[in-house]
Amino acid sequence: MLRRLGFGEAKAAEVVAGAAVAVAADATTPPLVHWCLALLALVVALLLLLLQETRKLAAAFALVSVAEDRRERQAAEEKRLKTIESIRLSHDSHDAHLSKVAVASAQLTGAIDKLERLAADAKWTEAGELLARCEEAVMATFATAKAPTVSAEVQAAASRLREAIAPGGSLCKVHARSETCRRALVDLTTDADWTLSSHKDGTRVQFRRSETALAIKVDALIDGVRPADALYVWRETSLYHKWFPMVTSSTELLAINEADSLLHLEMDNWVAYNDMVHFLFYFFTP
């Protein structure tokens, strides 16, 4: 009651103690009441003091919690940056190794066979790198030798490669897919041109605006989860509406292969209504 009237803990204790002393000073008051009132004043003063110290302790714990949370965030960010740097270095090393391994003209047929297997397995980054080396081998062969001097086997392999990368060919998607994967790897391993939107619970959300689109990047480290498990979650398109932000309906229209699918998504909310058919494909960096 005294607190509600605007008294602080110390002032309230002073008032209670003063009232107890005033009653104790009354000669008509029995001695037992004197002792009870004095004890009551002492208890109230101790309780109010305890409350004040408890608040100080709670404030100290809050500061410790904030500092610990800051340290955890910093440790998570350092781990994220180290992982990204490791991915970048691994991929750069992989690229450097492949760039040194030129495809000889006599190996073109075997290289094209491997290319078609990589494309069938949706290994776009490896397929793109091998295709570039095959094209370099063909260009080098015909640039340094006249057509009549090139063996029939090499000419057949070069013709097969041209047909494979032509529209409708078995390798027609490799250039575009590998370039998309290359850009995705660049976006993964650098924060340049990205604006941080939020960083909470170890998850960073960034965005980048262009004249035609809004790109969003979400990255986090998940320990103990296989890439295949992440792929399984993305392939369960019928469950998108249960966890994907703003998606209210989702259906897989066509499962093209293990990595490619065609989706129908609806986003019906207070912001806007979007009805879209979305082509989704996956890749994992070597």
Side-chain angles (χ1 to χ4, degrees):
M1 183 65 182
L2 292 171
R3 293 290 307 283
R4 293 182 180 179
L5 292 175
F7 291 93
E9 286 90 346
K11 187 63 177 179
E14 182 181 343
V15 171
V16 173
V21 170
V23 174
D26 187 354
T28 61
T29 306
L32 181 61
V33 175
H34 292 181
W35 285 105
C36 290
L37 289 174
L39 182 60
L40 175 62
L42 179 62
V43 170
V44 170
L46 289 176
L47 288 176
L48 292 174
L49 181 61
L50 180 61
L51 177 61
Q52 187 176 11
E53 294 302 318
T54 301
R55 287 182 175 178
K56 291 181 180 178
L57 187 61
F61 275 123
L63 290 175
V64 171
S65 178
V66 169
E68 184 66 23
D69 183 62
R70 188 181 294 112
R71 282 195 295 269
E72 289 179 358
R73 284 173 178 261
Q74 184 177 0
E77 178 64 8
E78 291 176 356
K79 184 178 180 182
R80 184 188 75 89
L81 293 176
K82 286 181 180 179
T83 302
I84 289 176
E85 182 66 13
S86 175
I87 293 173
R88 187 185 65 79
L89 292 175
S90 174
H91 195 262
D92 289 348
S93 175
H94 183 71
D95 283 350
H97 171 71
L98 289 179
S99 64
K100 295 178 182 178
V101 183
V103 174
S105 58
Q107 300 172 326
L108 270 176
T109 300
I112 296 172
D113 291 338
K114 183 177 180 180
L115 255 175
E116 291 180 335
R117 290 194 300 270
L118 291 172
D121 292 338
K123 296 181 178 179
W124 302 115
T125 52
E126 295 176 62
E129 292 155 356
L130 182 56
L131 177 57
R133 289 186 287 129
C134 289
E135 290 176 326
E136 290 172 0
V138 170
M139 292 178 61
T141 299
F142 284 92
T144 57
K146 297 181 179 179
T149 62
V150 178
S151 68
E153 181 183 357
V154 173
Q155 291 190 38
S159 177
R160 178 187 170 191
L161 183 62
R162 284 192 297 270
E163 293 175 359
I165 62 177
S170 59
L171 303 176
C172 64
K173 299 178 181 178
V174 173
H175 277 305
R177 295 287 182 84
S178 62
E179 178 60 20
T180 300
C181 296
R182 187 195 65 78
R183 290 197 303 268
L185 284 169
V186 171
D187 287 337
L188 173 66
T189 55
T190 179
D191 291 336
D193 300 327
W194 290 91
T195 302
L196 181 65
S197 175
S198 68
H199 187 185
K200 185 178 180 182
D201 299 329
T203 301
R204 288 170 57 92
V205 180
Q206 301 176 87
F207 68 90
R208 181 177 61 196
R209 295 183 183 275
S210 66
E211 295 181 356
T212 58
L214 171 66
I216 298 175
K217 178 171 74 166
V218 181
D219 62 271
L221 297 178
I222 306 176
D223 294 328
V225 177
R226 302 178 305 158
D229 295 329
L231 180 60
Y232 297 153
V233 172
W234 283 103
R235 287 307 301 265
E236 293 177 338
T237 54
S238 61
L239 300 178
Y240 274 20
H241 67 280
K242 292 183 177 294
W243 64 272
F244 206 109
M246 297 194 297
V247 172
T248 53
S249 175
S250 56
T251 306
E252 184 176 48
L253 301 177
L254 178 64
I256 301 172
N257 54 43
E258 292 182 356
D260 299 359
S261 60
L262 197 64
L263 318 178
H264 174 230
L265 301 178
E266 289 185 74
M267 303 175 73
D268 187 5
N269 49 66
W270 62 273
V271 178
Y273 174 76
N274 292 288
D275 187 353
M276 66 188 81
V277 173
H278 182 63
F279 174 69
L280 188 64
F281 79 93
Y282 317 87
F283 79 96
F284 295 105
T285 180

